[in-house]
C-alpha cells in the first residue's frame, strides 16, 4: 500500500485523539428497572453526557412495576420521554427489541395472541399422545414435536427463570410468529417514535435469540417441513436420536445446518429487512461466539463478552469464546460495514462474587477487544436503579453505581479513541484464516498472536465475494498473500474457485449512519471476478511464522505482545498491547519506520520516540506494563513538531488537568483536553520511586482509607513522581491540588507541578471494590499487598 505522508493528516489524527468525536461514544446497556421518574431520568442522562457517554441502549429490565406493562401506553410514555430527552442532549438511542431476553417473544405477547405460536421443538418420549411423530425409535420410544414450555426472562418481579410469571417463549422458526413479534414490537416503536428514527434512534438491538426458550433442555429446535428436507438430503430421521445422546452422525450434521439456515432466514432476515426499510441498523449479537453467517445480517456485526469466558488470567487466547471479538470485527471488514460492536463486561466477576469487577479488568478487556478491531463498545450495564433486589440482577453495574464513576471520563474517552482508530482504517493482515459456521480456529492460530503476525478471519460464505489477482485473494480493501485452511481439504476448491453460495446474505444493504457508508451485504446473485492466478493455500499455522510476516520485530520472544498494524487517513500506525502478567521489555524494529511518535491513549499524551535508525527501519526500546497500550505513528515527528509540539509542551497533562479543575470547582470539558508531551512511553520513562513506607494511615472507615505524607522539599525540577502499591482505586492530592487517579496497582502520580519548596503534604485516598458495598465481600483495600499482579 502506497502512503503519502503529509502534515495535515497527522495534525487531524492527533486532534481527534485529543478530542475524540462523540460518534465513537460507548453505548451502554441502560437497565430501566424501576418506577418512571422524569427528574431522575433527566439527571442521569445529563450526568452521562458530562461523563462522555453520548448514547445508550434503552433496555427494559426486571424491576419495572407491574402498572407499567411492556409496550403499554404507560411504558411508551417513559420511552418517549427518554428519547426526547436524549435528542435534546444530542445523544443517540438504540432500542431493545424484547422485555427482557432472549429476543423474539414480545414478553410473551406472541404466544398469548396465538397458543400455536409457542416455542416448539423435538424431544424423545414413550407416550407420543397427540403430538406429531417425527420418527419411531428403538425400545418403544418416539421422537415427537411439541411445545417446549420454554420461557424468557421478564421485566417484572416474579418473571425470572423458574418463576411462575416467566413469559412464554415464541416459535421464532415460524414466519407467522416472527411477523407478529415484529408487528407488536418494531412497528409499535416506529409508530411512537418515527420522527426520531434515523437521527436520535440509530438501531434496534436483538439479543441472542433462542428458538426453544430458556429451561427447555429436553428439546432440540425444529421447523415445519424439516422431515422432508432431511430425507431429501439423504438423512435418516431415526439418526436424530444422536442429538440427545451426543452421538453425531451424517443426519445430525444435516440437521444442524438446516436449523441455522431456518433461523437466519426466518428471524434474522426479517429483522434485518425491517431495520433497513426504517433507516436504522440491526444491532446486537447471535447466541454463540462462533456463529458466522448470522453475523452477515447485522448492519453492525456484534458479539457478547460475558461471564469471564475470555479470561485475563489466561491471556484470552485459548478459550473457545476467544474468537468472538476478532470474528465480528473481521466480518465487518469483509462486508464493508463501518462499525462492529461488543456487549461487554456482563457478569465478568472474579471469584464468583457478583460485584467483584475491577478497573484493571475493565481496561484489560477494552484493550483485548480494541486491538482485535472492536469499534463500538456496549458496556453491560448502567443501572437506572440499584434499589433492593435490583442490585443483584446480573451485576456488576460498570458505570454510575461503581467506584470509578466520578472519573469515568477516562474510560469513555479511552473507548472513543480505540473506536476512532479502528473505524475507517485498514489493518495490515496479509494472511486470511478460513472459518465457517461454528468452525473457527483458535488454539491452532494462537502462535500467530504470540509472534505478532496479523491475520483476519475470512468466512467461507464470503469466498464468492473474493477475487484473485497476482496470486492474492482480494475482498474489498484486503489483499491476502495466502489463506490458512484448517477446516479440511474440501474447502480448498472453494477458495480457488469461489463457489461458496451466499444465500444467507440476502438481507440486502446496510444503513448509512454517523458519516458511515456501509455497503450492501453480498447476495446469491453476486459473482466473483475472474481469477487471474491461484491463491496460495496453507494447512499449518506454523508455516506463517516467519520474520517477514511479523507486523513488528522484537529482539526477544514476547508472546504476550499484541500488535495491530493500521493505515488510517494516509497514516501508518502500530497499536501495541500487553495482555500478559509481566512487563514487556524488549527492542522492537518498525519495518520502514522513521520519525516515530508515541501516543499514550489513556492520557492522550504524545512525544517523539527515542529511536535508532537501522537500514530496514526504526529500532526503539519498548517497556509496556501489563494492561498498557501504546500507539506508534510512523513518519509523524516532523508533523508533530510543526502542528502540535510547541503547544503540547506548553500544556499540562490532559486528564489530570481536567480532574484538577473539577476538584477546584473551575469547570472543565474534555473537549479542551490537550495532547501533551510526556516521558517516552516506549521505554524511556523516568523511573518512579516507591513511597509505600512514607505514608501513614490518617483514617479508615466504610470503604475508604486515607493516607498522608508530609515532607520538606528543595531544588525541585517540576517532574517529580512516585509510585505506591495497593488496592483498589487510588486518588492523590498534593498540597490540596488534585494530582490524579489510578485504577490499579502500581499507582503512579506526577506531583512535580504541585510541589513547592519547603513544606508539602500529599494525601492518598483508596476506595475499595464495589463488592464491599453491595456484597459485603470484605475485600482488602488501601496501601499494601499487590494482589493485582497475580491477574
Amino acid at each position: 500500500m502506497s502512503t503519502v505522508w503529509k502534515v495535515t493528516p497527522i495534525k487531524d489524527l492527533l486532534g481527534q485523539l485529543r478530542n475524540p468525536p462523540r460518534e465513537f461514544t460507548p453505548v451502554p446497556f441502560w437497565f430501566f428497572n424501576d418506577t418512571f421518574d422524569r427528574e431522575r431520568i433527566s439527571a442521569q442522562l445529563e450526568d452521562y453526557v458530562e461523563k462522555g457517554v453520548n448514547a445508550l441502549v434503552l433496555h427494559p429490565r426486571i424491576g419495572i412495576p407491574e402498572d407499567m406493562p411492556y409496550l403499554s401506553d404507560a411504558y411508551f410514555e417513559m420511552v418517549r420521554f427518554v428519547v426526547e430527552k436524549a435528542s435534546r442532549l444530542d445523544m443517540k438511542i438504540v432500542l431493545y427489541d424484547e422485555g427482557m431476553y432472549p429476543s423474539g417473544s414480545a414478553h410473551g405477547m406472541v404466544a398469548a395472541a396465538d397458543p400455536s405460536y409457542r416455542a416448539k421443538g423435538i424431544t424423545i418420549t414413550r407416550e407420543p399422545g397427540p403430538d406429531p411423530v417425527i420418527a419411531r425409535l428403538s425400545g418403544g420410544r418416539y421422537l415427537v414435536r411439541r411445545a417446549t414450555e420454554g420461557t424468557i426472562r421478564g421485566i417484572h418481579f416474579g418473571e425470572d427463570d423458574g418463576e411462575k410469571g416467566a413469559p412464554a417463549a415464541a416459535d421464532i422458526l415460524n414466519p407467522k410468529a416472527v411477523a407478529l413479534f415484529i408487528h407488536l414490537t418494531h412497528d409499535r416503536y416506529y409508530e411512537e417514535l418515527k420522527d426520531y428514527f434515523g437521527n436520535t434512534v440509530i438501531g434496534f438491538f436483538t439479543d441472542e435469540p433462542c428458538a426453544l426458550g430458556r429451561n427447555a433442555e429436553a428439546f432440540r429446535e425444529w421447523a415445519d417441513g424439516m422431515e422432508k428436507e432431511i430425507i431429501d438430503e439423504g438423512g435418516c430421521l431415526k439418526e436424530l436420536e444422536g442429538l440427545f445422546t451426543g452421538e453425531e452422525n451424517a443426519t445430525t450434521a444435516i440437521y444442524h445446518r438446516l436449523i441455522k439456515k431456518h433461523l437466519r432466514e426466518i428471524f434474522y432476515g426479517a429483522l434485518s429487512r425491517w431495520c433497513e426499510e426504517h433507516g436504522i441498523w440491526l444491532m446486537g449479537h447471535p447466541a454463540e461466539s462462533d456463529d458466522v453467517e448470522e453475523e452477515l445480517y447485522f448492519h453492525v456485526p456484534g458479539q457478547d463478552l460475558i461471564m469471564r469466558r475470555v479470561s485475563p488470567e489466561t491471556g484470552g487466547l485459548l478459550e473457545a469464546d476467544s474468537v468472538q471479538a476478532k470474528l465480528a470485527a473481521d466480518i465487518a471488514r469483509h462486508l464493508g460495514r463501518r462499525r462492529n460492536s461488543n456487549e461487554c463486561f456482563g457478569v465478568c466477576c472474579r471469584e464468583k462474587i457478583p460485584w467483584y469487577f475491577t478497573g484493571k479488568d475493565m481496561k484489560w478487556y477494552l484493550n483485548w477487544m480494541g486491538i482485535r478491531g472492536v469499534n463500538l463498545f456496549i458496556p453491560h450495564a448502567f443501572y437506572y436503579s440499584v434499589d433492593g433486589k435490583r442490585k443483584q440482577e446480573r451485576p456488576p453495574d460498570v458505570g454510575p453505581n461503581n467506584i470509578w464513576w466520578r472519573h469515568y471520563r477516562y474510560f469513555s474517552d479511552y473507548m472513543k479513541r480505540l473506536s476512532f482508530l479502528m473505524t475507517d482504517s485498514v489493518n495490515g493482515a496479509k494472511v486470511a484464516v478460513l472459518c465457517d459456521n461454528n468452525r473457527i480456529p483458535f488454539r491452532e492460530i494462537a502462535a500467530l498472536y504470540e509472534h505478532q503476525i496479523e491475520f483476519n478471519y475470512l468466512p467461507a460464505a464470503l469466498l464468492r465475494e473474493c477475487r484473485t489477482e497476482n496470486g492474492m485473494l482480494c475482498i474489498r480493501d484486503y489483499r491476502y498473500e495466502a489463506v490458512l485452511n484448517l477446516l479440511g481439504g474440501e474447502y480448498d476448491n472453494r477458495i480457488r474457485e469461489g463457489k461458496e453460495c451466499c444465500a444467507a446474505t440476502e438481507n440486502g444493504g446496510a444503513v448509512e449512519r454517523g458519516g458511515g457508508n456501509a455497503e450492501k451485504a453480498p447476495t446469491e446473485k453476486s459473482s466473483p471476478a475472474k481469477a487471474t492466478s491461484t491463491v496460495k493455500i496453507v494447512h499449518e499455522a506454523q508455516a506463517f511464522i516467519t520474520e517477514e510476516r511479523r507486523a513488528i520485530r522484537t529482539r526477544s520472544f514476547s508472546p504476550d505482545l499484541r500488535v495491530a498494524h493500521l493505515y488510517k487517513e494516509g497514516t501508518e500506525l502500530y497499536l501495541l498491547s500487553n495482555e500478559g502478567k509481566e512487563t514487556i521489555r524488549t527492542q522492537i524494529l518498525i519495518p520502514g519506520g522513521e520519525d516515530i511518535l508515541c501516543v499514550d491513549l489513556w492520557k492522550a499524551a504524545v512525544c517523539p520516540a527515542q529511536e535508532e535508525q537501522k537500514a530496514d527501519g526504526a529500532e526503539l526500546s519498548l517497556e509496556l506494563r501489563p494492561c498498557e497500550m501504546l500507539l506508534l505513528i510512523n513518519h509523524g515527528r516532523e508533523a508533530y513538531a510543526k502542528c502540535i509540539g510547541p503547544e503540547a509542551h506548553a500544556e499540562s497533562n490532559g486528564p489530570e488537568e481536567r480532574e484538577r479543575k473539577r476538584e477546584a470547582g473551575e469547570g472543565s470539558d474534555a473537549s479542551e483536553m490537550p495532547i501533551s508531551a510526556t516521558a517516552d512511553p516506549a521505554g524511556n520513562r523516568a523511573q518512579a520511586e516507591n513511597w509505600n513506607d512514607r505514608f501513614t494511615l490518617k483514617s479508615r472507615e466504610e470503604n475508604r482509607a486515607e493516607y498522608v505524607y508530609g515532607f520538606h522539599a528543595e531544588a525541585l525540577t517540576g517532574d517529580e513522581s512516585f509510585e505506591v502499591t495497593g488496592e483498589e482505586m487510588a486518588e492523590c492530592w498534593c498540597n490540596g491540588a488534585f494530582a490524579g487517579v489510578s485504577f490499579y496497582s502500581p499507582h503512579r502520580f506526577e506531583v512535580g507541578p504541585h510541589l513547592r519548596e519547603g513544606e508539602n503534604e500529599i494525601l492518598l485516598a483508596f476506595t475499595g471494590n464495589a463488592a464491599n458495598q453491595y456484597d459485603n465481600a470484605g475485600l482488602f483495600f488501601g496501601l499494601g499487598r499487590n494482589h493485582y499482579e497475580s491477574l
Side-chain angles (χ1 to χ4, degrees):
M1 178 180 295
S2 62
T3 306
V4 179
W5 302 105
K6 298 179 180 179
V7 169
T8 302
I10 301 291
K11 178 180 179 181
D12 291 346
L13 178 71
L14 294 178
Q16 292 186 82
L17 289 174
R18 174 179 64 244
N19 179 22
R22 295 164 66 95
E23 173 191 359
F24 301 109
T25 177
V27 188
F29 265 25
W30 181 62
F31 282 10
F32 178 75
N33 61 356
D34 207 337
T35 303
F36 174 33
D37 184 314
R38 289 173 173 80
E39 291 185 5
R40 186 177 188 178
I41 290 174
S42 290
Q44 285 195 13
L45 298 191
E46 290 167 5
D47 190 25
Y48 292 176
V49 172
E50 195 276 331
K51 300 300 192 300
V53 178
N54 308 109
L56 58 84
V57 179
L58 202 172
H59 186 0
R61 202 76 183 184
I62 199 165
I64 293 176
E66 292 186 6
D67 61 3
M68 184 186 285
Y70 184 58
L71 304 180
S72 65
D73 290 343
Y75 174 83
F76 274 105
E77 182 182 359
M78 175 276 296
V79 170
R80 281 194 303 273
F81 180 82
V82 172
V83 173
E84 289 166 0
K85 179 66 177 181
S87 180
R88 291 194 294 273
L89 293 173
D90 195 23
M91 296 180 75
K92 303 300 181 186
I93 295 291
V94 176
L95 302 172
Y96 190 88
D97 70 3
E98 187 52 81
M100 179 163 68
Y101 71 88
S103 294
S105 303
H107 192 249
M109 295 168 65
V110 172
D114 188 335
S116 70
Y117 291 166
R118 288 202 69 154
K120 295 181 180 65
I122 53 174
T123 190
I124 295 177
T125 182
R126 291 189 179 275
E127 299 294 337
D131 299 315
V133 174
I134 305 301
R136 290 176 178 267
L137 306 177
S138 63
R141 295 170 306 139
Y142 299 84
L143 186 65
V144 301
R145 187 185 186 212
R146 62 173 53 149
T148 69
E149 305 301 326
T151 57
I152 70 169
R153 300 188 72 210
I155 62 173
H156 307 305
F157 290 127
E159 295 183 343
D160 210 340
D161 285 332
E163 296 184 326
K164 184 177 179 180
D171 183 4
I172 61 173
L173 295 177
N174 181 337
K176 292 181 179 179
V178 172
L180 179 58
F181 165 68
I182 290 174
H183 176 67
L184 291 170
T185 55
H186 297 59
D187 289 345
R188 180 70 192 281
Y189 272 103
Y190 185 72
E191 177 185 345
E192 297 284 347
L193 302 170
K194 61 180 144 225
D195 291 343
Y196 297 95
F197 267 57
N199 43 74
T200 301
V201 175
I202 61 171
F204 243 122
F205 193 103
T206 196
D207 202 347
E208 54 188 47
C210 174
L212 298 175
R214 296 167 69 86
N215 304 303
E217 292 78 9
F219 290 82
R220 302 296 181 266
E221 298 90 339
W222 195 259
D224 283 337
M226 278 186 59
E227 300 96 323
K228 184 176 186 304
E229 292 177 292
I230 290 173
I231 292 171
D232 287 348
E233 293 203 21
C236 173
L237 295 178
K238 289 184 179 182
E239 291 184 354
L240 293 175
E241 184 178 358
L243 297 172
F244 301 87
T245 63
E247 299 171 4
E248 298 293 319
N249 52 59
T251 302
T252 58
I254 296 170
Y255 164 87
H256 289 307
R257 180 169 51 78
L258 288 175
I259 278 294
K260 291 177 70 66
K261 175 178 180 289
H262 283 296
L263 182 61
R264 291 193 302 267
E265 294 176 352
I266 294 170
F267 188 79
Y268 289 104
L271 268 59
S272 185
R273 288 189 295 272
W274 191 95
C275 288
E276 183 181 343
E277 290 165 1
H278 291 80
I280 62 174
W281 286 328
L282 175 60
M283 299 177 64
H285 58 83
E288 303 298 334
S289 293
D290 58 356
D291 282 339
V292 174
E293 291 193 28
E294 289 81 354
E295 295 280 13
L296 306 183
Y297 288 93
F298 286 89
H299 303 114
V300 179
Q303 262 301 339
D304 185 14
L305 195 158
I306 58 170
M307 300 177 69
R308 228 173 176 86
R309 290 176 181 169
V310 174
S311 170
E313 290 82 359
T314 62
L317 281 189
L318 301 180
E319 300 95 336
D321 292 277
S322 66
V323 304
Q324 54 114 299
K326 182 151 182 61
L327 178 62
D330 290 348
I331 288 173
R333 289 176 170 121
H334 292 136
L335 287 177
R337 305 287 197 256
R338 191 163 178 262
R339 307 294 296 274
N340 74 92
S341 70
N342 202 295
E343 176 194 334
C344 45
F345 317 139
V347 202
C348 282
C349 57
R350 293 166 172 247
E351 301 176 16
K352 297 183 180 180
I353 301 173
W355 279 82
Y356 192 9
F357 182 75
T358 70
K360 186 170 188 178
D361 288 340
M362 183 150 59
K363 192 163 184 288
W364 188 93
Y365 280 118
L366 290 174
N367 292 353
W368 187 89
M369 291 181 285
I371 205 159
R372 285 161 174 76
V374 173
N375 62 11
L376 197 159
F377 296 94
I378 303 177
H380 181 296
F382 288 16
Y383 288 32
Y384 171 59
S385 171
V386 290
D387 293 343
K389 294 188 293 184
R390 295 171 180 84
K391 67 177 175 291
Q392 295 301 341
E393 199 276 295
R394 298 298 191 267
D397 178 317
V398 296
N401 296 289
N402 218 306
I403 63 173
W404 46 68
W405 181 244
R406 66 201 302 265
H407 303 295
Y408 194 77
R409 198 67 185 246
Y410 281 86
F411 289 105
S412 62
D413 281 348
Y414 191 61
M415 284 183 258
K416 287 178 180 177
R417 292 184 185 112
L418 289 174
S419 297
F420 164 72
L421 287 172
M422 288 298 173
T423 304
D424 303 325
S425 59
V426 176
N427 72 13
K430 299 299 182 186
V431 174
V433 175
L434 193 68
C435 61
D436 207 346
N437 280 322
N438 309 111
R439 298 183 65 188
I440 319 295
F442 59 100
R443 289 191 182 92
E444 304 96 321
I445 50 86
L448 300 183
Y449 283 112
E450 293 174 337
H451 287 82
Q452 297 80 50
I453 295 171
E454 278 198 293
F455 69 91
N456 288 334
Y457 283 122
L458 177 62
L462 295 183
L463 287 173
R464 189 178 177 89
E465 305 306 310
C466 297
R467 64 190 187 280
T468 54
E469 295 179 359
N470 301 319
M472 292 189 177
L473 189 71
C474 306
I475 180 170
R476 299 196 186 274
D477 295 323
Y478 294 90
R479 298 170 60 84
Y480 299 114
E481 296 173 352
V483 178
L484 177 59
N485 174 20
L486 301 175
L487 304 184
E490 69 270 21
Y491 283 83
D492 286 355
N493 286 337
R494 302 186 194 183
I495 297 169
R496 294 190 181 102
E497 300 174 14
K499 287 184 176 179
E500 182 67 21
C501 176
C502 287
T505 59
E506 290 180 349
N507 53 303
V511 191
E512 185 173 334
R513 279 287 171 274
N517 186 22
E519 299 180 33
K520 286 191 174 185
T523 69
E524 194 173 13
K525 297 178 181 178
S526 303
S527 60
K530 184 177 180 180
T532 57
S533 60
T534 301
V535 67
K536 181 179 180 181
I537 301 173
V538 178
H539 299 100
E540 292 184 1
Q542 196 67 29
F544 288 118
I545 301 177
T546 60
E547 282 296 300
E548 58 270 19
R549 291 196 185 277
R550 301 180 70 188
I552 63 170
R553 299 174 192 174
T554 59
R555 182 168 293 181
S556 57
F557 179 48
S558 303
D560 296 320
L561 178 62
R562 307 287 173 261
V563 179
H565 181 197
L566 305 172
Y567 295 90
K568 182 177 175 68
E569 299 175 2
T571 305
E572 186 176 26
L573 310 168
Y574 291 85
L575 192 60
L576 282 62
S577 180
N578 182 354
E579 291 181 357
K581 302 176 184 179
E582 305 294 334
T583 297
I584 296 172
R585 294 183 178 91
T586 188
Q587 295 292 114
I588 62 172
L589 179 75
I590 307 297
E594 185 178 357
D595 294 333
I596 306 295
L597 282 182
C598 300
V599 182
D600 179 342
L601 294 176
W602 182 251
K603 293 186 174 181
V606 60
C607 69
Q610 297 182 22
E611 65 191 72
E612 181 179 350
Q613 200 61 40
K614 302 286 187 178
D616 50 354
E619 186 176 69
L620 59 153
S621 298
L622 176 68
E623 179 181 318
L624 206 58
R625 288 181 173 180
C627 214
E628 281 191 340
M629 183 172 271
L630 176 66
L631 177 68
L632 303 179
I633 304 177
N634 195 9
H635 292 234
R637 186 175 297 187
E638 182 180 357
Y640 167 79
K642 290 181 179 179
C643 302
I644 299 295
E647 296 88 345
H649 280 278
E651 297 282 357
S652 61
N653 209 355
E656 283 80 1
E657 178 65 7
R658 181 184 173 280
E659 291 283 349
R660 185 199 66 76
K661 289 183 178 181
R662 188 186 63 75
E663 291 286 331
E666 299 176 16
S668 176
D669 191 282
S671 64
E672 302 168 359
M673 188 172 66
I675 285 186
S676 60
T678 187
D680 184 356
N684 300 289
R685 75 177 95 207
Q687 295 299 312
E689 188 177 357
N690 186 285
W691 283 10
N692 270 53
D693 58 356
R694 301 190 185 190
F695 286 90
T696 58
L697 181 65
K698 180 181 178 182
S699 65
R700 188 180 187 89
E701 54 186 21
E702 295 182 348
N703 203 32
R704 182 180 175 90
E706 293 187 354
Y707 302 81
V708 66
Y709 169 44
F711 63 99
H712 185 88
E714 296 180 357
L716 298 171
T717 64
D719 61 359
E720 288 81 4
S721 64
F722 72 92
E723 285 188 356
V724 293
T725 57
E727 302 182 23
E728 180 165 335
M729 184 178 77
E731 299 166 288
C732 178
W733 288 263
C734 181
N735 295 322
F738 188 70
V741 60
S742 174
F743 300 100
Y744 53 89
S745 187
H747 305 280
R748 178 175 177 139
F749 297 102
E750 313 289 336
V751 293
H754 308 295
L755 292 176
R756 58 193 176 216
E757 294 196 359
E759 299 305 313
N760 293 269
E761 183 181 82
I762 296 178
L763 176 70
L764 281 180
F766 280 84
T767 303
N769 191 273
N772 290 343
Q773 177 182 351
Y774 297 107
D775 294 324
N776 295 316
L779 300 173
F780 175 82
F781 61 94
L783 285 175
R785 56 179 185 174
N786 195 4
H787 175 73
Y788 294 142
E789 287 302 310
S790 65
L791 183 142

